[in-house]
Amino acid sequence: MFEAIADLYQQFLSGLPESLAGLIDFVVALFPKLLEGAFVSVQLLLLSGVVGNLLALPVALARVSRNPLLWVPSYLFILVMRGTPLLVQIYILYYGLGHILGQIPLVRSSFLWRHLDAFWYAAAAFAINTAGYSGEILRGAILAVPAGEIDAARAFGMSKGLILRRVILPQAIRISLPTFSGETIALLKVTAIASTITVYELLRVTNEAYAASLRFDECFISAAIVYIALSYVLTRAFYFAERQINKDRLPPSVLKAARPLEAPRAA
Amino acid sequence: MRKHVIGGIVAGALLALASLSAQAQDAIKFGVADEPYPPFASKDASGKWVGFEMDLMDAVCAEMKAKCELVPVAWEGIIPALQAKKIDVIWASMLITEKRKQIIDFSDKYYDTPHMFIGPKSVKVDTCPETGICKDWMKGKVIGVQISTAHANYAKKAFGDVAEVRTYDKQDNVNADLVAGRVDIVLADAVAMDYFLKTDEGKDFEKKGFAPNDPLYGAGVGAGIRKEDATLKENLNAAIKAVRTNGTYKQINDKYFNFDAYGTTPGS
Amino acid sequence: MAEPSYIELLGYGPNGWGDDLLWGAWETVKVAACAYAVGIVLGLIGAGAKLTGRRVMFVISDVYTTVVRSVPELLLIIYIFYRAPVALQALARALGSDSAIDLDPFLAAVAALGFIVGAYTTEVFRGAILAVPPGQMDAAKAIGMSWRLRTRRILLPQMLRYAIPGLGNIWLGTTKEAALVSVVSLNELMNAGKQAAGGTKDYFFFYSIVALCYLVITIASMAVIARLERWSNRGVRRV
């Protein structure tokens, strides 16, 4: 059956003018490579998203604490993460820390060094950065949990830890989900920055494809299309999640309302 | 209201600036790769671009009796920059390859140097005539090259199935990762690599072999120009020829090298 | 000869990179500011397009915001930076002019960054305009103000109050996105840092200094934005 499709495809191509056929052929051959790169991008997204958001929890908790030993470092951490471009952060990690680690003979000759390639540096940088951003979002959400619910929990005699686990966090997650979805889409876009430190994600693959073929528009527009598709899938997934989480409390008309656009994430 | 006025001013200013720059067209814009590539082109401490290619460019411009302007552009985007008329000539150690000739035109070559592998002194490397370094040795290794170069294309063609070819945006970063131990071997221009080996950073590395004269490598380094700029091509070629015959080329060449950079030695 | 101390490395003169870094920081702020201005213009146009009844305008604006929202800034910057001159030339040709429009790297970077910022400001302006109580516009219409007068005197000043927080956030994002422009090589802060780091092999130190510069820009901007927010909310009753 595949031969039949291949034949049809060739016939279709031969019917078109030379340049158009070449273009279509090129793009069709390009897509598998782009998808490979997209796969790495998604891996990066998932890894840094999960780790970063898990880290965001202690960051947010420290930030809302009244103890200065906790909230001051947390505040500074969040400030630095949101106040400096991600590009610089990733460079500090990969070239800066990497260079320093490379000088230490013990690290350099170890088994790990060969496998500590750019992907892990990128994942680390993104995770740390996400911890800062999500930490701030989570903090806002924690503060937005209705005080009445917390009072009621306390009246029941729940311990602090239990209140946190059963009342505050679930509510905070629900409240922050819309913003969080915007952040995750932003994280997908940010994975493109990993291309500057030789990670073979989608943008890097695109750059290489361009370098090999010198077809500028075809390569980059195809990549843009893949990103739009990925973004669309993520948006729908979050939309579905939001609907599920809020099923019990919002009228259908509100659930159908459009989401506002979030401000751009730090580069 | 104020927004409209401000917006109008901004838009107007942008358009005006754009058209103003359109006026200053008598200077020929020479695009150079915005990265240090000694001894061909690099910035000295005062920020001035110096090197073999820079001196050659001055000589060629003097021959053409034209005003030349230096425009640094990121290497990866230097061809789109040419197409977008940001620059008129690519003067960035660009090899004349068939692939590139499909999109842009080239002047005659102005230098041709071999292509060299370098690696750590402590590691033994096997050389083979067909591919420079034996494919067997390359198994599982990481080769560092600069993106969008004939070196990258050759490395992929010769070793892509057994080794990882890692591409970097700047040659500087390739060297940095070689020093950091992230890549095992680097393929790049012999002269540029020679320069690197003589620096402090490069002292633990040495030449390991030469890449053969594969058709992918084309025919030397030339100036890239748009296909429609036939007069510019003629002028450049005439100027290059003149500089070669009147001895200026040799003068510049001897200032930097003790061999003839114009030659064609894919040698060993 | 002793290795230059860190203070020296940051100083002026041939051995010190301080002046290069400062110059880079200034270039960065320039690019960000110009791009921001372009973005505001685009945002007003985009919001206007989304708010008119016309379906076509809405769709164009929607495609614009969706594309910028889904595609990485880095890719957009690369694409627009190299293709904008060609696009502008086509535009010029269509309008009859024959001169080659030449965008120097600065303007091309501004165009690319401005295009991105415009999509975000579109949404902010749209939200802000919608937030102005419609009753005010109705009242203005009732007393016979022309559309221009209405917009100028009622809508825009009120809209500003709602727009400023969002616009402030976008400015903070713009200053950081300006770092991405270093990929298409402009003489800005990130590149100055790269050169300093590459020249001295002191990567960690110089990239950290670059981060510090951006942090300073951010903190200064945050202070200005807080001021602006307070000013725009003067006279508003605390609920």
Side-chain angles (χ1 to χ4, degrees):
Chain A
M1 188 186 98
F2 283 121
E3 289 100 49
I5 298 182
D7 276 339
L8 270 172
Y9 174 62
Q10 289 299 338
Q11 268 185 8
F12 169 66
L13 280 187
S14 56
L16 295 171
E18 175 79 45
S19 54
L20 191 55
L23 192 139
I24 295 183
D25 203 34
F26 176 75
V27 172
V28 168
L30 181 64
F31 258 91
K33 285 189 231 149
L34 287 185
L35 287 178
E36 269 177 43
F39 184 56
V40 175
S41 295
V42 170
Q43 281 178 326
L44 209 48
L45 170 68
L46 286 175
L47 187 59
S48 29
V50 167
V51 174
N53 285 305
L54 283 178
L55 285 177
L57 189 54
V59 169
L61 288 175
R63 180 78 180 85
V64 297
S65 137
R66 257 178 268 264
N67 182 352
L69 274 178
L70 283 178
W71 72 256
V72 169
S74 179
Y75 177 74
L76 290 175
F77 173 71
I78 293 178
L79 184 65
V80 169
M81 284 305 120
R82 299 176 83 204
T84 56
L86 190 47
L87 187 63
V88 182
Q89 292 171 15
I90 223 179
Y91 265 64
I92 290 180
L93 226 53
Y94 184 70
Y95 287 113
L97 204 60
H99 184 80
I100 292 178
L101 285 181
Q103 310 280 29
I104 306 175
L106 201 64
V107 174
R108 185 147 169 173
S109 51
S110 78
F111 170 71
L112 278 178
W113 187 246
R114 287 297 308 267
H115 294 271
L116 200 70
D117 68 359
F119 179 86
W120 299 104
Y121 284 95
F126 293 156
I128 297 175
N129 186 267
T130 303
Y133 270 86
S134 293
E136 182 66 14
I137 295 173
L138 202 53
R139 163 182 170 260
I142 288 177
L143 291 177
V145 173
E149 299 193 10
I150 305 179
D151 287 339
R154 235 184 258 146
F156 268 110
M158 283 184 168
S159 71
K160 267 200 134 167
L162 210 60
I163 298 182
L164 192 67
R165 195 161 57 90
R166 290 259 193 97
V167 179
I168 298 186
L169 280 185
Q171 292 278 52
I173 292 175
R174 186 184 57 80
I175 294 174
S176 61
L177 202 55
T179 323
F180 179 69
S181 91
E183 277 304 308
T184 309
I185 306 280
L187 188 58
L188 173 67
K189 295 202 288 175
V190 142
T191 58
I193 294 182
S195 69
T196 59
I197 58 166
T198 79
V199 176
Y200 279 94
E201 48 71 63
L202 184 49
L203 188 58
R204 183 125 204 104
V205 168
T206 314
N207 268 320
E208 300 239 329
Y210 166 65
S213 67
L214 294 178
R215 287 179 184 245
F216 193 79
D217 299 297
E218 291 88 325
C219 290
F220 285 100
I221 295 184
S222 305
I225 294 177
V226 175
Y227 273 113
I228 294 178
L230 280 173
S231 179
Y232 182 72
V233 166
L234 272 176
T235 312
R236 295 313 285 179
F238 271 105
Y239 187 60
F240 183 69
E242 274 178 52
R243 284 255 299 273
Q244 291 298 92
I245 277 195
N246 283 317
K247 248 196 194 156
D248 58 325
R249 56 180 66 220
L250 292 172
S253 53
V254 176
L255 287 176
K256 288 212 186 88
R259 291 271 155 254
L261 199 68
E262 313 302 342
R265 177 163 179 154
Chain B
M1 168 61 190
R2 233 170 269 150
K3 282 260 147 59
H4 287 299
V5 173
I6 294 177
I9 294 180
V10 168
L14 283 177
L15 275 171
L17 272 172
S19 49
L20 264 181
S21 7
Q23 314 305 21
Q25 264 178 51
D26 12 29
I28 306 181
K29 292 199 264 297
F30 277 70
V32 67
D34 192 14
E35 55 180 279
Y37 197 62
F40 294 108
S42 56
K43 273 205 220 171
D44 68 5
S46 68
K48 184 166 171 297
W49 284 90
V50 296
F52 173 74
E53 261 185 319
M54 298 295 100
D55 288 351
L56 198 57
M57 181 184 107
D58 290 333
V60 162
C61 282
E63 276 299 324
M64 290 198 296
K65 303 207 199 330
K67 188 164 169 295
C68 293
E69 196 190 315
L70 201 61
V71 179
V73 180
W75 167 253
E76 290 180 83
I78 206 163
I79 291 184
L82 182 72
Q83 291 172 315
K85 300 210 173 122
K86 276 201 215 302
I87 54 178
D88 303 308
V89 178
I90 295 179
W91 195 264
S93 295
M94 180 174 273
L95 284 163
I96 306 172
T97 66
E98 283 309 313
K99 189 113 233 184
R100 290 172 179 149
K101 283 217 274 212
Q102 285 170 10
I103 322 194
I104 60 176
D105 206 354
F106 282 93
S107 71
D108 295 334
K109 75 169 183 184
Y110 58 83
Y111 80 80
D112 189 8
T113 45
H115 323 292
M116 190 160 85
F117 290 95
I118 64 169
K121 280 190 177 139
S122 50
V123 174
K124 188 180 165 311
V125 172
D126 311 313
T127 51
C128 295
E130 316 89 50
T131 55
I133 306 280
C134 297
K135 242 178 128 163
D136 284 333
W137 186 90
M138 281 296 196
K139 273 210 186 77
K141 301 281 197 296
V142 179
I143 310 175
V145 287
Q146 189 181 13
I147 198 174
S148 219
T149 55
H151 307 291
N153 291 338
Y154 179 72
K156 279 195 207 123
K157 172 175 162 192
F159 310 111
D161 47 350
V162 298
E164 184 195 333
V165 177
R166 216 175 268 178
T167 55
Y168 293 80
D169 52 341
K170 297 189 184 344
Q171 185 60 41
D172 234 17
N173 289 337
V174 186
N175 300 346
D177 263 13
L178 178 67
V179 172
R182 289 185 179 124
V183 308
D184 300 300
I185 196 165
V186 166
L187 173 60
D189 180 83
V191 176
M193 287 296 95
D194 227 16
Y195 188 92
F196 167 70
L197 290 177
K198 295 201 187 93
T199 63
D200 215 21
E201 284 273 302
K203 63 183 192 302
D204 296 322
F205 300 91
E206 61 178 4
K207 131 177 169 238
K208 294 296 186 191
F210 286 93
N213 210 16
D214 193 280
L216 262 182
Y217 268 118
V221 166
I225 36 188
R226 288 181 288 273
K227 283 198 159 154
E228 60 265 21
D229 283 345
T231 18
L232 184 56
K233 178 176 175 175
E234 274 169 36
N235 293 342
L236 277 172
N237 285 343
I240 292 175
K241 196 152 170 204
V243 164
R244 288 272 307 157
T245 43
N246 69 15
T248 325
Y249 190 94
K250 186 158 177 1
Q251 230 180 1
I252 302 175
N253 187 99
D254 292 342
K255 179 170 159 199
Y256 291 94
F257 315 123
N258 53 15
F259 56 86
D260 183 9
Y262 192 77
T264 27
T265 26
S268 35
Chain C
M1 184 165 100
E3 267 203 31
S5 73
Y6 279 130
I7 309 284
E8 263 175 51
L9 275 178
L10 279 185
Y12 286 84
N15 247 347
W17 298 92
D19 46 350
D20 301 291
L21 288 175
L22 270 178
W23 182 249
W26 170 237
E27 287 289 322
T28 295
V29 171
K30 270 202 304 188
V31 172
C34 293
Y36 192 66
V38 171
I40 297 229
V41 171
L42 283 178
L44 285 170
I45 299 175
K50 278 204 173 177
L51 290 170
T52 60
R54 306 236 182 87
R55 177 109 184 125
V56 174
M57 308 283 274
F58 182 85
V59 167
I60 296 179
S61 191
D62 202 28
V63 166
Y64 172 47
T65 45
T66 307
V67 165
V68 173
R69 192 184 183 196
S70 326
V71 177
E73 289 87 4
L74 198 49
L75 198 156
L76 284 172
I77 288 178
I78 292 176
Y79 191 79
I80 297 175
F81 186 83
Y82 290 114
R83 281 297 185 248
V86 174
L88 277 178
Q89 271 166 36
L91 197 67
R93 214 145 294 165
L95 293 173
S97 139
D98 215 13
S99 66
I101 304 250
D102 170 34
L103 283 186
D104 72 354
F106 180 80
L107 285 179
V110 165
L113 209 53
F115 185 79
I116 294 172
V117 170
Y120 290 107
T121 50
T122 296
E123 286 304 305
V124 167
F125 282 132
R126 175 166 158 266
I129 291 179
L130 285 177
V132 176
Q136 304 212 2
M137 290 295 274
D138 288 340
K141 222 186 281 180
I143 59 173
M145 276 188 173
S146 69
W147 178 87
R148 282 177 93 190
L149 219 58
R150 274 207 313 268
T151 312
R152 186 160 62 93
R153 292 232 198 121
I154 313 285
L155 188 60
L156 288 182
Q158 302 261 45
M159 181 239 341
L160 261 182
R161 186 163 72 83
Y162 295 110
I164 285 189
L167 289 180
N169 255 335
I170 293 176
W171 166 251
L172 292 176
T174 307
T175 54
K176 278 166 262 163
E177 265 150 33
L180 291 177
V181 168
S182 67
V183 170
V184 288
S185 89
L186 206 59
N187 270 335
E188 44 69 70
L189 183 53
M190 188 71 204
N191 268 332
K194 275 196 213 177
Q195 276 169 28
T200 60
K201 305 298 174 210
D202 224 329
Y203 298 101
F204 192 77
F205 175 67
F206 277 107
Y207 288 137
S208 303
I209 297 287
V210 168
L212 197 65
C213 289
Y214 277 108
L215 198 57
V216 165
I217 296 177
T218 299
I219 295 180
S221 305
M222 277 164 55
V224 171
I225 292 170
R227 231 37 216 320
L228 275 174
E229 279 185 37
R230 271 205 305 269
W231 169 85
S232 74
N233 280 322
R234 67 201 190 301
V236 175
R237 233 181 7 199
R238 298 275 306 270
V239 178

